[in-house]
Amino acid sequence: MNDSKYFSVPLASPKALTFGNEKKNEFSFCISLTYSYLCTQIAKVERIMPLRIPDLLPAIDILKQENIFVMDDTRAHTQDIRPLKIAILNLMPLKITTETDLIRLLSNTPLQLDITFMKLKSHTPKNTPIEHMMMFYKDFDELRNKKFDGMIITGAPVEQFDFQEVTYWDEVSGIFEWAKTHVTSTFYICWAAQAGLFYHYGIQKYPLQKKMFGIFEQHILYPRMPIFRGFDDVFFMPHSRHTELHREDILANDQLTLLAEGEESGVSIVMAREGREFFITGHLEYAPDTLDNEYRRDMGKRDDVEMPKNYYRDDDPDKGPVVRWRAHANLLFSNWINYYVYQTTPYNIEEIG
C-alpha cells in the first residue's frame, strides 16, 4: 500500500485537523481512515460472488470436482446483494452437457449471477429427461414479463433447415424480439448467431460443402474493444457447423461490426447495438472432449464429416485433443459479463428497455 495516498503528513508529527466543527488529531484520523479503507477491502473480498444456480442441478457436482466455485440457491439467498440476472435459452440436444459448459465459464467472475434456464413451449427435447426439464427450466411464457441483465441463446441442430422451416421458429424469433427490450446484452451462439442475424438484420446463411469442424485461428479486427481485453493478437475457437456467414454481408450492413474472423473459418464474432448483441459463430464454451465425441458419433455415418482440424495431438485421435481455446473462452465470457452486462445494466432492473 502506498502510504502517501492516505497520509498527508508524516505520522511522527501529528497535528490537529478540523472537519466542519469537529477537531481530530491527525494521527488518530489517519489510523481511522486506514482502518476504514481496510474494512472496505475486506468487505469486497468477502463479497466475491460465485455463480448462483438452482439446487440439485447436475452441473454443480461436476464443476465442484473441477475445483470450480459455484453457489447453490440456498446459500445465495443468505447474501444481501443484487445478483445479475442471466437467462439461458438452451436449444442444444444434450441439455446437461451444455449447462455444464456454460456454467463453467460463467462461474469465472467475482459477480453473483442468478441463472434462469429457459425452454420453448413449442419444442420437446428428446435427449434430456422430462423430469430435469420440469425441475430446472421455465417456459418463455413464464418469463416474458421479467427483465434480465444478460442472456445466452445456444446453438441448435437445425442449421441445415431454412430458418422458417424450423418447427419452433415463431417462438424463438419472438424471444429474439423480446430480448431487444428486456435484456441488457444478449449472447447468440452458433445457430442462434445465424438465426439472430437473419431475424434482426436480414443476414443469410450459406451451406458448406464440408462441415467446418475443428479448432481454427481467429484474428481480432478491433483489439481495443473491451470484449477483447486481455486477448492475444490471435486466438483459437472451436467450430462445428455445416453453414457459414459471408463477410461481405456483414460489412455491408452499417448496424453490424465484424469483430473477429478466421482465414479458414470465416466470420466468428459480430457485434450490434454497441454491445447489446453479440453473435458468435463458433463454440468457445465447448469442453475439451466435445469435438471428439461428435467425431466418434458421426464417423462412418456421414460422408461430409472429416477428422476435426487442428484438434488432436499429432492429428491422432488416440492421443487426445490439445486444448488451445480455454483461456480465451474464459476471457470472452468474463469480459462480456463485466463490460457489457455489469457495467451497463441499470441497478433497477425494470429500467432495462
Side-chain angles (χ1 to χ4, degrees), residues 161-165 169 173 176 188 190-205 245 250 253 256 279:
F161 294 98
D162 289 340
F163 293 117
Q164 293 93 339
E165 292 178 354
W169 177 252
S173 60
F176 295 166
Y188 294 82
C190 199
W191 177 82
Q194 296 180 343
L197 284 167
F198 173 77
Y199 175 78
H200 292 302
Y201 306 103
I203 302 297
Q204 298 291 333
K205 61 182 173 71
L245 303 172
I250 304 297
N253 190 315
L256 302 174
F279 305 92

Side-chain angles (χ1 to χ4, degrees), residues 68-132:
I68 290 175
F69 188 26
V70 295
M71 176 183 286
D72 61 35
D73 202 45
T74 301
R75 182 178 173 191
H77 274 304
T78 67
Q79 299 201 326
D80 184 19
I81 192 171
R82 170 168 118 59
L84 295 174
K85 294 188 177 296
I86 307 294
I88 298 177
L89 176 57
N90 185 0
L91 302 173
M92 293 289 276
L94 301 178
K95 306 292 184 191
I96 296 173
T97 298
T98 303
E99 293 160 12
T100 305
D101 289 345
L102 292 173
I103 289 171
R104 181 184 291 112
L105 293 171
L106 292 172
S107 66
N108 190 34
T109 171
L111 302 167
Q112 181 173 313
L113 309 181
D114 188 353
I115 304 297
T116 298
F117 289 104
M118 181 187 294
K119 64 184 177 73
L120 301 176
K121 196 171 185 179
S122 55
H123 176 71
T124 302
K126 300 177 182 178
N127 300 294
T128 303
I130 188 65
E131 294 82 6
H132 181 89

Side-chain angles (χ1 to χ4, degrees), residues 129-172:
I130 188 65
E131 294 82 6
H132 181 89
M133 300 301 296
M134 292 177 65
M135 179 175 287
F136 299 116
Y137 283 73
K138 294 182 178 180
D139 286 334
F140 171 60
D141 284 344
E142 298 179 62
L143 302 171
R144 66 168 62 248
N145 293 323
K146 297 183 181 295
K147 294 191 175 182
F148 292 87
D149 302 296
M151 184 175 189
I152 297 171
I153 307 178
T154 74
V158 293
E159 61 174 318
Q160 292 178 291
F161 294 98
D162 289 340
F163 293 117
Q164 293 93 339
E165 292 178 354
V166 175
T167 57
Y168 47 79
W169 177 252
D170 287 346
E171 186 176 10
V172 79

